[in-house]
PDB file of all heavy atoms in Angstrom:
ATOM      1  N   VAL A  32     118.024  95.289 106.895  1.00 98.00           N
ATOM      2  CA  VAL A  32     118.149  96.312 107.930  1.00 98.00           C
ATOM      3  C   VAL A  32     119.633  96.409 108.327  1.00 98.00           C
ATOM      4  O   VAL A  32     120.202  95.462 108.866  1.00 98.00           O
ATOM      5  CB  VAL A  32     117.309  95.970 109.190  1.00 98.00           C
ATOM      6  CG1 VAL A  32     117.409  97.109 110.193  1.00 98.00           C
ATOM      7  CG2 VAL A  32     115.845  95.753 108.780  1.00 98.00           C
ATOM      8  N   LEU A 186     106.908 103.700 104.540  1.00 98.00           N
ATOM      9  CA  LEU A 186     107.931 103.519 105.569  1.00 98.00           C
ATOM     10  C   LEU A 186     107.742 102.247 106.416  1.00 98.00           C
ATOM     11  O   LEU A 186     108.708 101.659 106.887  1.00 98.00           O
ATOM     12  CB  LEU A 186     107.966 104.699 106.530  1.00 98.00           C
ATOM     13  CG  LEU A 186     108.304 106.086 105.970  1.00 98.00           C
ATOM     14  CD1 LEU A 186     108.440 107.089 107.117  1.00 98.00           C
ATOM     15  CD2 LEU A 186     109.599 106.060 105.191  1.00 98.00           C
ATOM     16  N   HIS A 187     106.479 101.853 106.655  1.00 98.00           N
ATOM     17  CA  HIS A 187     106.228 100.738 107.540  1.00 98.00           C
ATOM     18  C   HIS A 187     106.101  99.385 106.847  1.00 98.00           C
ATOM     19  O   HIS A 187     105.804  98.373 107.494  1.00 98.00           O
ATOM     20  CB  HIS A 187     104.930 101.003 108.347  1.00 98.00           C
ATOM     21  CG  HIS A 187     105.078 102.056 109.400  1.00 98.00           C
ATOM     22  ND1 HIS A 187     105.031 103.397 109.116  1.00 98.00           N
ATOM     23  CD2 HIS A 187     105.269 101.988 110.729  1.00 98.00           C
ATOM     24  CE1 HIS A 187     105.205 104.104 110.218  1.00 98.00           C
ATOM     25  NE2 HIS A 187     105.334 103.269 111.231  1.00 98.00           N
ATOM     26  N   ASP A 189     108.070  97.082 105.368  1.00 98.00           N
ATOM     27  CA  ASP A 189     108.893  95.880 105.571  1.00 98.00           C
ATOM     28  C   ASP A 189     110.091  96.254 106.436  1.00 98.00           C
ATOM     29  O   ASP A 189     110.556  97.401 106.401  1.00 98.00           O
ATOM     30  CB  ASP A 189     109.388  95.401 104.170  1.00 98.00           C
ATOM     31  CG  ASP A 189     109.562  93.904 104.097  1.00 98.00           C
ATOM     32  OD1 ASP A 189     108.734  93.177 104.719  1.00 98.00           O
ATOM     33  OD2 ASP A 189     110.501  93.437 103.412  1.00 98.00           O
ATOM     34  N   HIS A 190     110.579  95.315 107.214  1.00 98.00           N
ATOM     35  CA  HIS A 190     111.764  95.576 108.044  1.00 98.00           C
ATOM     36  C   HIS A 190     112.541  94.289 108.263  1.00 98.00           C
ATOM     37  O   HIS A 190     112.712  93.795 109.370  1.00 98.00           O
ATOM     38  CB  HIS A 190     111.378  96.236 109.378  1.00 98.00           C
ATOM     39  CG  HIS A 190     112.401  97.166 109.915  1.00 98.00           C
ATOM     40  ND1 HIS A 190     113.128  96.937 111.074  1.00 98.00           N
ATOM     41  CD2 HIS A 190     112.877  98.337 109.411  1.00 98.00           C
ATOM     42  CE1 HIS A 190     113.976  97.944 111.262  1.00 98.00           C
ATOM     43  NE2 HIS A 190     113.824  98.801 110.289  1.00 98.00           N
ATOM     44  N   GLY A 191     113.008  93.701 107.138  1.00 98.00           N
ATOM     45  CA  GLY A 191     113.766  92.439 107.200  1.00 98.00           C
ATOM     46  C   GLY A 191     112.831  91.290 107.566  1.00 98.00           C
ATOM     47  O   GLY A 191     111.609  91.453 107.681  1.00 98.00           O
ATOM     48  N   GLY A 193     113.247  89.141 110.315  1.00 97.00           N
ATOM     49  CA  GLY A 193     113.277  88.631 111.681  1.00 97.00           C
ATOM     50  C   GLY A 193     112.407  89.363 112.685  1.00 97.00           C
ATOM     51  O   GLY A 193     112.321  88.963 113.835  1.00 97.00           O
ATOM     52  N   ASN A 194     111.747  90.453 112.257  1.00 97.00           N
ATOM     53  CA  ASN A 194     110.883  91.126 113.234  1.00 97.00           C
ATOM     54  C   ASN A 194     109.722  90.163 113.557  1.00 97.00           C
ATOM     55  O   ASN A 194     109.330  89.339 112.732  1.00 97.00           O
ATOM     56  CB  ASN A 194     110.403  92.486 112.746  1.00 97.00           C
ATOM     57  CG  ASN A 194     109.526  92.391 111.534  1.00 97.00           C
ATOM     58  OD1 ASN A 194     108.342  92.113 111.637  1.00 97.00           O
ATOM     59  ND2 ASN A 194     110.113  92.575 110.352  1.00 97.00           N
ATOM     60  N   LEU A 195     109.177  90.284 114.758  1.00 98.00           N
ATOM     61  CA  LEU A 195     108.271  89.224 115.258  1.00 98.00           C
ATOM     62  C   LEU A 195     107.072  88.969 114.344  1.00 98.00           C
ATOM     63  O   LEU A 195     106.734  87.802 114.071  1.00 98.00           O
ATOM     64  CB  LEU A 195     107.786  89.567 116.668  1.00 98.00           C
ATOM     65  CG  LEU A 195     106.786  88.533 117.208  1.00 98.00           C
ATOM     66  CD1 LEU A 195     107.457  87.208 117.462  1.00 98.00           C
ATOM     67  CD2 LEU A 195     106.122  89.043 118.478  1.00 98.00           C
ATOM     68  N   SER A 196     106.409  90.015 113.829  1.00 98.00           N
ATOM     69  CA  SER A 196     105.219  89.770 113.043  1.00 98.00           C
ATOM     70  C   SER A 196     105.555  89.048 111.733  1.00 98.00           C
ATOM     71  O   SER A 196     104.859  88.112 111.327  1.00 98.00           O
ATOM     72  CB  SER A 196     104.488  91.098 112.758  1.00 98.00           C
ATOM     73  OG  SER A 196     105.359  92.081 112.294  1.00 98.00           O
ATOM     74  N   THR A 197     106.634  89.469 111.113  1.00 98.00           N
ATOM     75  CA  THR A 197     107.014  88.853 109.845  1.00 98.00           C
ATOM     76  C   THR A 197     107.423  87.398 110.061  1.00 98.00           C
ATOM     77  O   THR A 197     106.999  86.503 109.325  1.00 98.00           O
ATOM     78  CB  THR A 197     108.165  89.649 109.204  1.00 98.00           C
ATOM     79  OG1 THR A 197     107.775  91.011 109.112  1.00 98.00           O
ATOM     80  CG2 THR A 197     108.517  89.112 107.825  1.00 98.00           C
ATOM     81  N   LEU A 221     102.162  91.704 115.930  1.00 98.00           N
ATOM     82  CA  LEU A 221     102.304  93.177 115.828  1.00 98.00           C
ATOM     83  C   LEU A 221     101.507  93.888 116.939  1.00 98.00           C
ATOM     84  O   LEU A 221     101.842  94.975 117.371  1.00 98.00           O
ATOM     85  CB  LEU A 221     101.832  93.658 114.454  1.00 98.00           C
ATOM     86  CG  LEU A 221     102.276  95.070 114.075  1.00 98.00           C
ATOM     87  CD1 LEU A 221     103.752  95.099 113.723  1.00 98.00           C
ATOM     88  CD2 LEU A 221     101.478  95.646 112.932  1.00 98.00           C
ATOM     89  N   HIS A 226     106.044  95.293 120.340  1.00 95.00           N
ATOM     90  CA  HIS A 226     106.270  95.354 118.880  1.00 95.00           C
ATOM     91  C   HIS A 226     105.458  96.517 118.337  1.00 95.00           C
ATOM     92  O   HIS A 226     105.645  97.645 118.743  1.00 95.00           O
ATOM     93  CB  HIS A 226     105.886  93.967 118.289  1.00 95.00           C
ATOM     94  CG  HIS A 226     106.282  93.758 116.862  1.00 95.00           C
ATOM     95  ND1 HIS A 226     107.155  94.555 116.185  1.00 95.00           N
ATOM     96  CD2 HIS A 226     105.880  92.790 115.957  1.00 95.00           C
ATOM     97  CE1 HIS A 226     107.303  94.098 114.934  1.00 95.00           C
ATOM     98  NE2 HIS A 226     106.534  93.039 114.773  1.00 95.00           N
ATOM     99  N   GLY A 227     104.462  96.279 117.469  1.00 95.00           N
ATOM    100  CA  GLY A 227     103.781  97.390 116.809  1.00 95.00           C
ATOM    101  C   GLY A 227     102.948  98.286 117.710  1.00 95.00           C
ATOM    102  O   GLY A 227     102.762  99.472 117.430  1.00 95.00           O
ATOM    103  N   HIS A 267     116.166 100.488 119.537  1.00 94.00           N
ATOM    104  CA  HIS A 267     115.663  99.480 118.569  1.00 94.00           C
ATOM    105  C   HIS A 267     116.475  98.203 118.712  1.00 94.00           C
ATOM    106  O   HIS A 267     117.653  98.243 119.086  1.00 94.00           O
ATOM    107  CB  HIS A 267     115.795 100.029 117.139  1.00 94.00           C
ATOM    108  CG  HIS A 267     115.056  99.228 116.135  1.00 94.00           C
ATOM    109  ND1 HIS A 267     115.563  98.109 115.535  1.00 94.00           N
ATOM    110  CD2 HIS A 267     113.805  99.384 115.624  1.00 94.00           C
ATOM    111  CE1 HIS A 267     114.684  97.604 114.717  1.00 94.00           C
ATOM    112  NE2 HIS A 267     113.590  98.345 114.732  1.00 94.00           N
ATOM    113  N   ALA A 268     115.798  97.081 118.402  1.00 90.00           N
ATOM    114  CA  ALA A 268     116.472  95.772 118.525  1.00 90.00           C
ATOM    115  C   ALA A 268     117.690  95.662 117.620  1.00 90.00           C
ATOM    116  O   ALA A 268     118.671  95.004 117.974  1.00 90.00           O
ATOM    117  CB  ALA A 268     115.461  94.665 118.186  1.00 90.00           C
ATOM    118  N   VAL A 269     117.656  96.285 116.462  1.00 93.00           N
ATOM    119  CA  VAL A 269     118.743  96.096 115.482  1.00 93.00           C
ATOM    120  C   VAL A 269     119.497  97.385 115.212  1.00 93.00           C
ATOM    121  O   VAL A 269     120.713  97.389 115.060  1.00 93.00           O
ATOM    122  CB  VAL A 269     118.143  95.567 114.149  1.00 93.00           C
ATOM    123  CG1 VAL A 269     119.227  95.343 113.116  1.00 93.00           C
ATOM    124  CG2 VAL A 269     117.308  94.300 114.378  1.00 93.00           C
ATOM    125  N   LEU A 270     118.768  98.500 115.152  1.00 95.00           N
ATOM    126  CA  LEU A 270     119.399  99.767 114.766  1.00 95.00           C
ATOM    127  C   LEU A 270     120.338 100.336 115.829  1.00 95.00           C
ATOM    128  O   LEU A 270     120.075 100.173 117.018  1.00 95.00           O
ATOM    129  CB  LEU A 270     118.325 100.805 114.421  1.00 95.00           C
ATOM    130  CG  LEU A 270     117.409 100.415 113.276  1.00 95.00           C
ATOM    131  CD1 LEU A 270     116.251 101.383 113.137  1.00 95.00           C
ATOM    132  CD2 LEU A 270     118.161 100.332 111.970  1.00 95.00           C
ATOM    133  N   ASP A 274     116.878 106.023 113.225  1.00 98.00           N
ATOM    134  CA  ASP A 274     116.154 105.291 112.191  1.00 98.00           C
ATOM    135  C   ASP A 274     115.820 106.242 111.037  1.00 98.00           C
ATOM    136  O   ASP A 274     115.201 107.281 111.268  1.00 98.00           O
ATOM    137  CB  ASP A 274     114.850 104.767 112.872  1.00 98.00           C
ATOM    138  CG  ASP A 274     114.054 103.814 111.986  1.00 98.00           C
ATOM    139  OD1 ASP A 274     114.179 103.917 110.760  1.00 98.00           O
ATOM    140  OD2 ASP A 274     113.323 102.986 112.562  1.00 98.00           O
ATOM    141  N   ARG A 276     113.607 106.143 109.004  1.00 98.00           N
ATOM    142  CA  ARG A 276     112.157 106.344 108.907  1.00 98.00           C
ATOM    143  C   ARG A 276     111.708 107.439 109.863  1.00 98.00           C
ATOM    144  O   ARG A 276     110.752 108.147 109.607  1.00 98.00           O
ATOM    145  CB  ARG A 276     111.434 105.023 109.204  1.00 98.00           C
ATOM    146  CG  ARG A 276     111.780 103.893 108.227  1.00 98.00           C
ATOM    147  CD  ARG A 276     111.245 102.555 108.702  1.00 98.00           C
ATOM    148  NE  ARG A 276     111.779 102.163 109.985  1.00 98.00           N
ATOM    149  CZ  ARG A 276     111.410 101.091 110.680  1.00 98.00           C
ATOM    150  NH1 ARG A 276     110.473 100.282 110.177  1.00 98.00           N
ATOM    151  NH2 ARG A 276     111.962 100.808 111.845  1.00 98.00           N
ATOM    152  N   ASN A 320     113.383 105.889 116.965  1.00 97.00           N
ATOM    153  CA  ASN A 320     113.005 104.852 116.025  1.00 97.00           C
ATOM    154  C   ASN A 320     111.759 105.316 115.245  1.00 97.00           C
ATOM    155  O   ASN A 320     111.279 106.432 115.412  1.00 97.00           O
ATOM    156  CB  ASN A 320     112.788 103.526 116.739  1.00 97.00           C
ATOM    157  CG  ASN A 320     111.682 103.585 117.775  1.00 97.00           C
ATOM    158  OD1 ASN A 320     110.626 104.165 117.532  1.00 97.00           O
ATOM    159  ND2 ASN A 320     111.915 103.001 118.954  1.00 97.00           N
ATOM    160  N   VAL A 321     111.195 104.426 114.444  1.00 96.00           N
ATOM    161  CA  VAL A 321     110.088 104.774 113.537  1.00 96.00           C
ATOM    162  C   VAL A 321     108.877 105.332 114.279  1.00 96.00           C
ATOM    163  O   VAL A 321     108.106 106.119 113.723  1.00 96.00           O
ATOM    164  CB  VAL A 321     109.697 103.529 112.677  1.00 96.00           C
ATOM    165  CG1 VAL A 321     109.088 102.422 113.529  1.00 96.00           C
ATOM    166  CG2 VAL A 321     108.787 103.882 111.530  1.00 96.00           C
ATOM    167  N   PHE A 344      99.871 100.730 111.035  1.00 98.00           N
ATOM    168  CA  PHE A 344     101.140 100.034 110.873  1.00 98.00           C
ATOM    169  C   PHE A 344     100.853  98.680 110.196  1.00 98.00           C
ATOM    170  O   PHE A 344     101.501  98.277 109.217  1.00 98.00           O
ATOM    171  CB  PHE A 344     101.759  99.879 112.276  1.00 98.00           C
ATOM    172  CG  PHE A 344     103.177  99.321 112.354  1.00 98.00           C
ATOM    173  CD1 PHE A 344     103.898  99.449 113.535  1.00 98.00           C
ATOM    174  CD2 PHE A 344     103.792  98.635 111.297  1.00 98.00           C
ATOM    175  CE1 PHE A 344     105.190  98.966 113.658  1.00 98.00           C
ATOM    176  CE2 PHE A 344     105.064  98.129 111.411  1.00 98.00           C
ATOM    177  CZ  PHE A 344     105.769  98.298 112.594  1.00 98.00           C
ATOM    178  N   ARG A 348     102.343  96.898 106.935  1.00 98.00           N
ATOM    179  CA  ARG A 348     103.235  95.743 107.118  1.00 98.00           C
ATOM    180  C   ARG A 348     102.698  94.491 106.467  1.00 98.00           C
ATOM    181  O   ARG A 348     103.447  93.619 106.019  1.00 98.00           O
ATOM    182  CB  ARG A 348     103.517  95.561 108.627  1.00 98.00           C
ATOM    183  CG  ARG A 348     104.584  94.562 109.013  1.00 98.00           C
ATOM    184  CD  ARG A 348     105.924  94.780 108.366  1.00 98.00           C
ATOM    185  NE  ARG A 348     106.636  95.993 108.677  1.00 98.00           N
ATOM    186  CZ  ARG A 348     107.504  96.181 109.671  1.00 98.00           C
ATOM    187  NH1 ARG A 348     107.795  95.173 110.458  1.00 98.00           N
ATOM    188  NH2 ARG A 348     108.118  97.311 109.852  1.00 98.00           N
TER     189      ARG A 348
HETATM  190  C1  MLT B 401     110.416  97.778 112.848  1.00 61.63           C
HETATM  191  O1  MLT B 401     109.759  98.108 111.850  1.00 61.63           O
HETATM  192  O2  MLT B 401     111.236  98.528 113.400  1.00 61.63           O
HETATM  193  C2  MLT B 401     110.180  96.438 113.370  1.00 61.63           C
HETATM  194  O3  MLT B 401     109.193  95.679 112.874  1.00 61.63           O
HETATM  195  C3  MLT B 401     110.810  96.025 114.616  1.00 61.63           C
HETATM  196  C4  MLT B 401     111.983  95.124 114.281  1.00 61.63           C
HETATM  197  O4  MLT B 401     112.632  95.309 113.247  1.00 61.63           O
HETATM  198  O5  MLT B 401     112.255  94.235 115.086  1.00 61.63           O
END
Side-chain angles (χ1 to χ4, degrees):
V32 183
L186 298 186
H187 287 80
D189 212 36
H190 211 246
N194 65 80
L195 177 67
S196 48
T197 306
L221 197 74
H226 190 14
H267 192 275
V269 181
L270 299 172
D274 188 333
R276 299 169 299 174
N320 61 43
V321 67
F344 187 163
R348 189 55 63 90

